[in-house]
Amino acid sequence: MWYAIEGYDAAEALPRRMAARPAHVARLIALRDQGRLLLAGPCPAIDAEDPGPAGYSGSIVIAEFDSLRAARDWADADPYMEVGAYARVEVRPFRQTLP
């Protein structure tokens, strides 16, 4: 089943986010290579493709997992969680309708 994982950035998270980004992206690439990633990306904190020093308000990942527990475990092990870039993460089932 698909699960939506929404990470919400902590205050002043940009330096921690950037430091952990290579490890974070590597995990996403692994999901993609397994055919389990629908989409992933950051949410700019301002209305701009590149938010610069404003950073991001969080990220969204939609991926396939065996269970809600497995999706939560994957989210809890994210490098952004480990370095405190995310203040919190929400995980919930997702059902794609379009496209």
Side-chain angles (χ1 to χ4, degrees):
M1 180 167 192
W2 294 106
Y3 293 90
I5 300 169
E6 295 180 82
Y8 296 86
D9 278 24
E12 308 298 324
L14 188 58
R16 295 186 301 276
R17 177 186 264 274
M18 298 313 293
R21 187 174 187 279
H24 171 80
V25 171
R27 295 177 82 229
L28 295 170
I29 289 170
L31 283 177
R32 181 201 65 196
D33 291 350
Q34 295 165 12
R36 297 173 44 207
L37 183 65
L38 183 62
L39 66 87
C43 301
I46 61 172
D47 188 14
E49 182 75 21
D50 179 357
Y56 300 90
S57 61
S59 302
I60 298 171
V61 174
I62 299 179
E64 187 176 31
F65 292 92
D66 290 335
S67 66
L68 180 58
R69 176 80 264 150
R72 285 185 176 144
D73 289 347
W74 187 90
D76 287 345
D78 192 284
Y80 286 175
M81 287 295 289
E82 292 175 5
V83 300
Y86 285 159
R88 75 181 201 283
V89 173
E90 294 181 10
V91 181
R92 59 185 186 268
F94 175 82
R95 189 181 67 138
Q96 183 178 3
T97 301
L98 293 171

